[in-house]
């Protein structure tokens, strides 16, 4: 009980800071600052798949605080509770406690990492794994048709990114930028996905790859933030 009260006191302070203190970047490696360089006219809409608590290492929280409308999807019940609180004042943000995959139904989730940051979908029952609901990207768009055109998509699902994108077949969907955590993936398999036919990988930091929409006039700056480099095609 004392431990729980101590954590509650600690997290109440964290929550207050998240609500009231502005930071130049919330992302793990400054990905949100790079997005601002690529989309200088402002991010108004986003979809965050694998949002965790919505703040820690978030590529989208900065834009949510600036008034952007968004959907945050997080399958971990532990992380989702914090996500709901952290986005409480961002009235344009909807939070969903589900996974996104290549089929509708259920998948196994394994909680892992500090603050559940490494929780992942697993193929076999393991100690501590449990079933969660999942939907496809297409199904998400059917439920939220106003997000068929967005400025930014961020996908960070600990190796399940291919399955997330396999569930996206709606040819009407359009995002100016898609950030994909790619360090656990076969990059050729990722680049060959049908849903990325109209996107080009342009920038990476070895962990996340930025894909830009070929129909958008996005200027890649000559000087990139530290740790980022142009992708050689």
């Amino acid at each position: 009980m004392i431990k729980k009260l101590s954590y509650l006191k600690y997290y109440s302070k964290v929550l207050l800071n998240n609500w009231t203190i502005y930071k130049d970047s919330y992302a793990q490696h400054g990905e949100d600052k790079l997005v601002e360089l690529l989309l200088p006219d402002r991010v108004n809409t986003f979809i965050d798949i694998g949002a965790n608590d919505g703040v820690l290492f978030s590529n989208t929280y900065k834009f949510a605080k600036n008034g952007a409308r968004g959907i945050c999807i997080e399958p971990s019940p532990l992380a989702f509770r914090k996500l709901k609180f952290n986005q409480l004042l961002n009235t344009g943000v909807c939070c969903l406690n589900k996974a996104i995959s290549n089929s509708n139904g259920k998948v196994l989730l394994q909680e892992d990492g500090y603050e559940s940051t490494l929780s992942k979908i697993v193929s076999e029952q393991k100690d501590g794994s449990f079933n969660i609901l999942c939907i496809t990207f297409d199904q998400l768009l059917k439920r939220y048709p106003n997000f068929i055109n967005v400025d930014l998509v961020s996908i960070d699902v600990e190796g399940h990114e291919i399955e997330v994108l396999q569930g996206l077949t709606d040819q009407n969907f359009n995002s100016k930028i898609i950030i994909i955590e790619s360090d656990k993936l076969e990059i050729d398999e990722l680049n060959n996905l049908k849903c990325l036919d109209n996107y080009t990988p342009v920038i990476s930091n070895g962990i996340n790859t930025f894909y830009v929409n070929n129909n958008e006039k996005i200027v890649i700056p000559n000087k990139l933030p530290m740790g980022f480099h142009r992708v050689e095609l």
Side-chain angles (χ1 to χ4, degrees):
M1 175 63 82
I2 293 176
K3 187 176 181 180
K4 288 183 178 179
L5 288 174
S6 178
Y7 182 80
L8 182 61
K9 181 180 179 181
Y10 155 76
Y11 199 75
S12 296
K13 183 178 180 180
V14 171
L15 189 61
L16 182 62
N17 288 341
N18 291 339
W19 284 348
T20 59
I21 296 177
Y22 180 84
K23 293 172 62 176
D24 190 41
S25 176
Y26 295 88
Q28 188 171 11
H29 303 289
E31 286 83 355
D32 47 3
K33 296 177 69 174
L34 179 54
V35 170
E36 288 179 316
L37 290 176
L38 299 174
L39 300 176
D41 291 336
R42 173 183 168 102
V43 171
N44 292 304
T45 50
F46 67 82
I47 297 174
D48 192 337
I49 300 175
N52 194 254
D53 71 358
V55 178
L56 183 66
F57 303 152
S58 175
N59 295 332
T60 64
Y61 190 64
K62 184 174 187 178
F63 310 118
K65 288 196 75 170
N66 288 337
R69 294 184 300 110
I71 305 174
C72 288
I73 302 101
E74 174 53 48
S76 162
L78 295 175
F80 183 76
R81 284 195 289 271
K82 297 172 187 176
L83 172 64
K84 288 282 287 183
F85 279 118
N86 283 324
Q87 298 289 3
L88 193 61
L89 301 185
N90 302 323
T91 56
V93 177
C94 174
C95 301
L96 299 179
N97 187 201
K98 298 182 186 323
I100 304 295
S101 193
N102 53 9
S103 63
N104 297 306
K106 293 183 179 180
V107 289
L108 284 167
L109 180 73
Q110 179 79 46
E111 295 269 18
D112 197 9
Y114 171 72
E115 300 288 352
S116 300
T117 53
L118 299 178
S119 297
K120 57 185 177 290
I121 305 300
V122 293
S123 58
E124 299 177 350
Q125 186 79 47
K126 298 181 179 181
D127 288 343
S129 64
F130 51 92
N131 282 309
I132 55 167
L133 292 174
C134 70
I135 59 174
T136 64
F137 208 133
D138 284 348
Q139 187 64 31
L140 177 72
L141 296 174
K142 286 180 181 179
R143 295 185 185 185
Y144 298 92
N146 289 339
F147 287 85
I148 198 75
N149 292 292
V150 294
D151 295 321
L152 174 65
V153 172
S154 177
I155 307 174
D156 180 352
V157 289
E158 303 304 322
H160 202 68
E161 289 79 6
I162 297 287
E163 288 80 358
V164 168
L165 291 165
Q166 286 173 338
L168 175 58
T169 64
D170 191 330
Q171 296 182 0
N172 293 315
F173 177 72
N174 183 74
S175 180
K176 293 177 181 177
I177 295 174
I178 302 178
I179 305 175
I180 303 172
E181 187 183 52
S182 54
D183 61 325
K184 302 177 183 68
L185 308 177
E186 291 292 335
I187 201 68
D188 288 340
E189 183 182 4
L190 179 61
N191 291 339
N192 288 329
L193 288 171
K194 181 67 176 175
C195 65
L196 294 179
D197 279 353
N198 198 41
Y199 295 83
T200 300
V202 293
I203 300 172
S204 178
N205 60 3
I207 299 173
N208 292 308
T209 301
F210 281 62
Y211 288 76
V212 300
N213 192 310
N214 295 335
N215 294 328
E216 299 289 336
K217 296 180 180 179
I218 296 175
V219 178
I220 310 302
N222 292 325
K223 186 176 181 180
L224 297 173
M226 184 177 297
F228 290 92
H229 62 270
R230 286 177 176 262
V231 173
E232 296 183 9
L233 299 176

